[in-house]
Amino acid sequence: MNSKNSISLIGFMGSGKTTIAKLLSKRLNKKIIEMDQLVLDKTSYNDINEIFTKKGELYFRELEIKTAKSIKDLKNKVISTGGGVVMNKIIIDYLKQNSLIFYLKTKFNTIKTRLIKDTSRPLFKDIKTAKQLFKLRTPLYEYYSDYQITTDNKTPNQITNEIIKIYRKYGNS
Ligand code: S3P
């Protein structure tokens, strides 16, 4: 039996981490942790765009590492991460302490359709750059995750069910 009783969701922006985390949280009766929100709480800024504009990405990444460190010992949580957590292995190491890591694998075209009009994400401002980032990160999501869940053409409930099935088998539920 695995001693890990949290679930961390990783994946590119727009892959559905927040939506699925909410459903998992309800179904498994575990509190949800939104890493982006915790990062924001460490600042006096109003949103992630503002952090990027005023302080730059590196500053955001440092706060992201501090946030991951601050939650590493928490148990029994559903953690929705920011899409860039795979850029710092230390974050993954912190998450792995108590979590099974699920990668929500979503095609770039699906993500593009979802985020084309979204203005809240500093790293999804133009499609070409976002696609390059997607290509760079895909192998990292694959490498760092314990399980991959493809999400295209599935409902949020189907995705949640798949994760719960694996979690019940391999996690400490
Ligand atoms: C980022 C993803 C965002 C947020 C920040 C950076 C990234 O989170 O952490 O804008 O580098 O991919 P979501 O994946 O929830 O959009």
Side-chain angles (χ1 to χ4, degrees):
M1 172 71 76
N2 198 310
S3 65
K4 296 176 179 181
N5 62 7
S6 291
I7 291 176
S8 287
L9 301 180
I10 66 171
F12 204 69
M13 295 169 264
S15 59
K17 292 167 295 205
T18 301
T19 306
I20 303 303
K22 281 183 188 152
L23 290 170
L24 285 169
S25 158
K26 273 195 203 130
R27 293 268 305 274
L28 296 171
N29 197 22
K30 294 179 188 293
K31 285 220 169 94
I32 193 166
I33 293 184
E34 269 287 346
M35 281 187 65
D36 275 353
Q37 188 56 50
L38 293 188
V39 168
L40 202 54
D41 292 346
K42 290 191 188 303
T43 74
S44 54
Y45 300 115
N46 296 315
D47 54 46
I48 306 278
N49 261 328
E50 202 181 351
I51 304 182
F52 270 67
T53 318
K54 302 224 167 110
K55 302 292 269 187
E57 180 173 352
L58 205 56
Y59 178 81
F60 175 84
R61 297 295 169 211
E62 281 164 8
L63 288 183
E64 210 172 30
I65 293 171
K66 281 191 189 148
T67 299
K69 190 174 183 188
S70 74
I71 61 171
K72 73 180 172 37
D73 296 319
L74 298 181
K75 298 200 186 310
N76 221 20
K77 304 284 183 274
V78 176
I79 301 167
S80 176
T81 65
V85 292
V86 288
M87 303 311 286
N88 286 297
K89 181 180 177 289
I90 184 78
I91 297 185
I92 300 294
D93 290 342
Y94 288 143
L95 294 172
K96 286 211 172 195
Q97 276 189 221
N98 285 315
S99 291
L100 292 184
I101 309 228
F102 289 83
Y103 164 32
L104 301 187
K105 190 176 173 73
T106 307
K107 292 200 171 97
F108 188 76
N109 273 348
T110 309
I111 286 170
K112 193 171 79 178
T113 313
R114 284 185 193 154
L115 297 188
I116 199 119
K117 290 204 176 106
D118 185 291
T119 54
S120 70
R121 289 169 166 95
L123 297 180
F124 209 99
K125 297 280 188 222
D126 80 277
I127 301 290
K128 210 173 149 214
T129 318
K131 179 131 202 210
Q132 279 167 353
L133 204 56
F134 179 86
K135 280 192 181 155
L136 172 86
R137 288 183 181 171
T138 296
L140 298 174
Y141 296 127
E142 288 171 352
Y143 181 72
Y144 286 133
S145 56
D146 297 308
Y147 306 100
Q148 292 185 32
I149 310 289
T150 56
T151 71
D152 304 277
N153 306 315
K154 289 181 191 162
T155 65
N157 273 325
Q158 282 173 321
I159 297 163
T160 306
N161 287 341
E162 269 187 52
I163 295 175
I164 289 178
K165 210 168 158 189
I166 296 171
Y167 174 72
R168 294 226 160 101
K169 196 163 173 195
Y170 300 108
N172 183 12
S173 46

